Amino acid sequence: MPCSCTPGPGASGAPARPAFLAPHLEALRACWLLHRELAPDEADNLRLKYEHSLRVLDEAVAIVATLDPVPAPDLERAILTAALLHDMGRFPQLVLHGTFNDRASENHGVLGARTLVRLGLPRGLDPGRTRLVRACVAMHNRKELPAALPPDLELALHVVRDADKLDILPVVLEHLRPGAGNDVVTLGLSRDPGLWSPALLESLLARRPGRYEDMRSVSDFRLLLLSWAYGMRFAVSRRALLERGLLRELAAGLPDDPPLRGLYERLRADLERGACGVREGQDAASGAAGASSRPDTVRR
C-alpha cells in the first residue's frame, strides 16, 4: 500500500513528506541545531545542509513515484530515509574541520554512517533495512559504486545520488554567481573565471562525469556540474535538468574560449535523445576514474 504522507514545509508543489519519516525529520533537525550551537559562526552553512537534506528527500519522493516496478513498502521507506539522512556527516564535518571539502577533512559519507550508528538511526526499520540505509549514506558520495551491489542497495544509491545532484546543482550555482563568494560552498576554489581544467572538459566531451580532484577554479566547478548530466540514472532526473534551466545557466557562466563553446547545446541534444542515461550495467560514476588525476590548468 502507498505510504501515508503529510505536506512538507518546502516550496509550493514539492512532493509530500511521508509521515513515517517524522522521527527522522526530528532527528535531522536536532542534529542541525546541536551543531549550530557548537559552531555559531557556521550557522548559515549548517542551515544550508539542513535545508538541502529536506529538498533531497523531496526529490527522492518524486523519483520513487516514477519507479516501475514500484518498490516494496519496506524498501521505499529505506530509500527515503537514506535520502533524508544522506548528509548527516556534513554537520560534524563542518564543525570539526571548518570545510565541506572531503579531501581536506574526511569522507562525509563515512562520517555520516558513523553518526547514524552513534545516534541509533535509522529507527523503526528491520535490521536489514537499517544496514541498507547506513550503507547508502556511507557510499552515496563515492566517485564509483562497487560492482555487483545487492539490487536493493543499488537502487537506493541511484535514487539518492540523482536526488542529491538535482538539489545541490542550484545551491552551488547560486554561489557561483558574481558577488556570491561563499568559499565553504565553492570549496575554496580560485574565482579567476579564466582558469579551467582540460581534464574536466575531456570528461564532458567523452560523456562521462568529471572528478572533484580535477577542479582548480569556479569555472571547473561549472564543468563538473555540467558533467553530472552523464551520471543521472533516471529519466525523470534528466528531464528535470533541462526543464529547470540549470545546465543553460552553468554553461553561460563559462569563459568564452573556443573549446568551451557549444557545450550546452551538446548536452541538451544528448538529454533530449536520452543519451545521458547510464548504460545498463554501468554505475552512475563510471568512466570518471579514467580522467587525469593531475590536469594542466588553462588560463584564458
Side-chain angles (χ1 to χ4, degrees):
M1 293 179 61
C3 63
S4 60
C5 297
T6 55
S12 174
R17 291 180 183 147
F20 69 79
L21 282 173
H24 297 106
L25 286 161
E26 183 54 39
L28 175 70
R29 178 178 173 81
C31 188
W32 160 52
L33 293 175
L34 170 63
H35 288 86
R36 190 180 67 178
E37 290 182 10
L38 294 172
D41 290 346
E42 297 287 3
D44 289 345
N45 291 318
L46 291 166
R47 172 180 283 278
L48 183 150
K49 285 300 178 182
Y50 170 67
E51 294 177 346
H52 164 67
S53 297
L54 297 177
R55 293 192 303 267
V56 169
L57 169 62
D58 294 341
E59 298 284 3
V61 169
I63 293 170
V64 168
T66 71
L67 296 181
D68 185 16
V70 176
D74 66 322
L75 178 55
E76 179 182 353
R77 289 186 174 215
I79 292 171
L80 298 183
T81 301
L84 177 66
L85 302 179
H86 78 285
D87 262 356
M88 285 289 276
R90 287 300 198 187
F91 303 112
Q93 179 187 44
L94 188 61
V95 169
L96 292 171
H97 304 288
T99 182
F100 287 141
N101 187 333
D102 284 15
R103 298 185 305 284
S105 56
E106 57 184 306
N107 184 314
H108 77 274
V110 174
L111 180 57
R114 293 204 306 267
T115 301
L116 295 186
V117 172
R118 180 170 57 83
L119 297 177
L121 297 171
R123 299 169 188 151
L125 301 179
D126 67 43
R129 294 313 190 198
T130 294
R131 288 192 295 271
L132 184 149
V133 170
R134 291 173 179 172
C136 191
V137 170
M139 297 168 62
H140 81 275
N141 60 323
R142 286 195 181 188
K143 291 188 290 290
E144 298 183 55
L145 297 179
L149 286 169
D152 288 355
L153 176 57
E154 183 179 26
L155 176 62
L157 279 163
H158 286 312
V159 171
V160 172
R161 286 158 74 94
D162 270 26
D164 191 16
K165 290 180 174 70
L166 282 173
D167 184 69
I168 206 63
L169 274 165
V171 172
V172 176
L173 185 53
E174 178 181 351
H175 292 279
L176 291 175
R177 291 170 184 146
N182 185 331
D183 286 341
V184 173
V185 177
T186 58
L187 306 179
L189 295 167
S190 168
R191 288 193 167 268
D192 183 341
L195 290 174
W196 56 273
S197 165
L200 286 165
L201 177 61
E202 178 186 347
S203 294
L204 257 176
L205 296 179
R207 295 182 170 89
R208 67 190 183 211
R211 306 194 321 162
Y212 276 90
E213 291 90 333
D214 293 332
M215 291 195 304
R216 302 293 182 270
S217 69
V218 291
S219 291
D220 288 341
F221 215 159
R222 288 178 180 271
L223 290 170
L224 177 80
L225 297 178
L226 286 167
S227 77
W228 282 359
Y230 292 108
M232 289 295 191
R233 170 64 60 161
F234 303 103
V236 65
S237 307
R238 300 191 291 272
R239 285 197 301 272
L241 286 178
L242 278 180
E243 293 170 357
R244 298 175 191 180
L246 301 172
L247 300 180
R248 181 190 296 274
E249 186 174 351
L250 281 168
L254 289 170
D256 186 26
D257 288 357
L260 302 180
R261 293 172 190 165
L263 289 177
Y264 170 71
E265 289 73 17
R266 177 190 175 98
L267 268 172
R268 183 183 63 188
D270 283 346
L271 285 167
E272 289 174 346
R273 287 197 306 267
C276 285
V278 182
R279 294 191 297 275
E280 187 66 28
Q282 180 184 27
D283 83 57
S286 67
S292 169
S293 61
R294 296 184 61 83
D296 295 327
T297 299
V298 171
R299 183 184 300 273
R300 187 174 60 175

